[in-house]
Amino acid sequence: MRSLFPVTDLTTTAAAPDPSGLLTDREWSLDELADAYAYPADLPAGTPWLRANMVSTLDGAAQHDGRSQPISCAADMRIFGTLRALADVVIAGAETVRLEGYRPARAREAFAARRAAAGQGPAPAVAVVTGSLDLDFSLPLFTEPLVPTLVVTGSGAPADRIAAAREAGAEVVIAGEGTRVDPARVVRELADRGLRRQLTEGGPRLLGQFVAAGALDELCLTLSPMLTAGDAQRIAGGPGVAVPERFALASLLEEDGFLFGRYRR
């Protein structure tokens, strides 16, 4: 991976590195990436911050053959790992967990001191949002996590599936009525458990629900220099909002034609 170059005017937060010191043909260190993507340091106590991390092709496809990996790149995966390492919890929809073959988040030595200083455990929890609990609880995501995986569902979810999730060691979080999960309540319920630094990796249906609920604070978007055509999903799906909400560009980086943008409410 070559260095990530700031493009046009790079707007940074106080925690981000000075871009003038990074304009060299070298790879950004993980510490520099972690500083650049740090969660806001001035949030009131108990206030959550939900960021999304997604990738899209030039023609708006969020996937190819049902997966995001074919439109990604090494630099995208490096940022992906950094964003996970900064989070208290990674939130994903059940369909994405199945399609992408989700595994437990792992502890990474490169971020151990940073996480300890922030009062975090060695790795983020994974929270799976599902109304039906149609999940394979024998998978490593449930049987081998460093911290228990959370299953976020509605109060009317099938009792036998809730029991199966708990038997597998998962923590069940109720965040909705019936089998419907309320996206805004997901954010609150996780924050009430001390999981304030939140990261959602989609998929598009779940991200669309967060957007429609006005719950998303930040979008980290990789624009892949690829064209796929076809009928792949966009990064956010589902019902549209009445009035589009404008986000502000916080930073923009480039490598090998891939653009890595960060947008905030």
Side-chain angles (χ1 to χ4, degrees):
M1 163 180 156
R2 295 185 297 109
S3 59
L4 295 175
F5 293 101
V7 175
T8 184
D9 293 326
L10 175 63
T11 305
T12 60
T13 64
D18 177 3
S20 64
L22 300 174
L23 288 174
T24 58
D25 190 14
R26 65 171 177 83
E27 181 176 281
W28 276 30
S29 72
L30 292 177
D31 274 340
E32 288 168 336
L33 283 176
D35 285 343
Y37 283 92
Y39 280 82
D42 56 353
L43 290 177
T47 302
W49 184 270
L50 175 64
R51 67 169 28 147
N53 183 33
M54 301 293 283
V55 59
S56 171
T57 62
L58 296 175
D59 52 351
Q63 304 162 340
H64 184 66
D65 287 339
R67 301 182 64 236
S68 59
Q69 189 277 333
I71 61 173
S72 181
C73 66
D76 182 45
M77 296 309 297
R78 190 171 174 83
I79 292 174
F80 172 92
T82 299
L83 294 178
R84 278 196 161 203
L86 296 174
D88 295 326
V89 61
V90 177
I91 310 169
E95 184 176 3
T96 295
V97 167
R98 290 189 292 264
L99 289 174
E100 302 281 356
Y102 261 54
R103 297 184 63 85
R106 60 189 178 93
R108 299 182 61 185
E109 182 61 32
F111 297 99
R114 184 182 291 267
R115 289 187 66 87
Q120 296 171 299
V126 175
V128 184
V129 179
T130 172
S132 66
L133 280 81
D134 181 16
L135 298 163
D136 183 351
F137 293 117
S138 69
L139 294 177
L141 178 61
F142 301 100
T143 61
E144 301 175 9
L146 285 175
V147 291
T149 295
L150 299 99
V151 174
V152 186
T153 191
S155 59
D160 61 329
R161 300 305 296 162
I162 289 179
R166 288 174 172 154
E167 185 177 352
E171 178 182 349
V172 176
V173 178
I174 302 301
E177 303 302 324
T179 58
R180 180 181 176 275
V181 178
D182 179 346
R185 187 170 165 186
V186 172
V187 173
R188 295 195 303 270
E189 291 288 345
L190 294 176
D192 287 346
R193 288 163 172 78
L195 305 174
R196 297 193 305 121
R197 304 173 188 91
Q198 301 175 4
L199 170 67
T200 181
E201 297 169 348
R205 185 182 307 170
L206 179 61
L207 179 55
Q209 292 172 357
F210 282 129
V211 170
L216 188 70
D217 297 298
E218 180 179 346
L219 172 64
C220 298
L221 178 64
T222 296
L223 184 62
S224 171
M226 300 181 188
L227 294 168
T228 65
D231 56 359
Q233 291 179 296
R234 298 160 47 202
I235 66 167
V241 297
V243 179
E245 182 177 7
R246 181 162 180 166
F247 277 46
L249 180 65
S251 65
L252 185 62
L253 308 173
E254 182 272 345
E255 180 184 278
D256 289 338
F258 284 80
L259 296 179
F260 306 92
R262 191 162 54 93
Y263 298 85
R264 289 187 170 185
R265 180 193 297 281

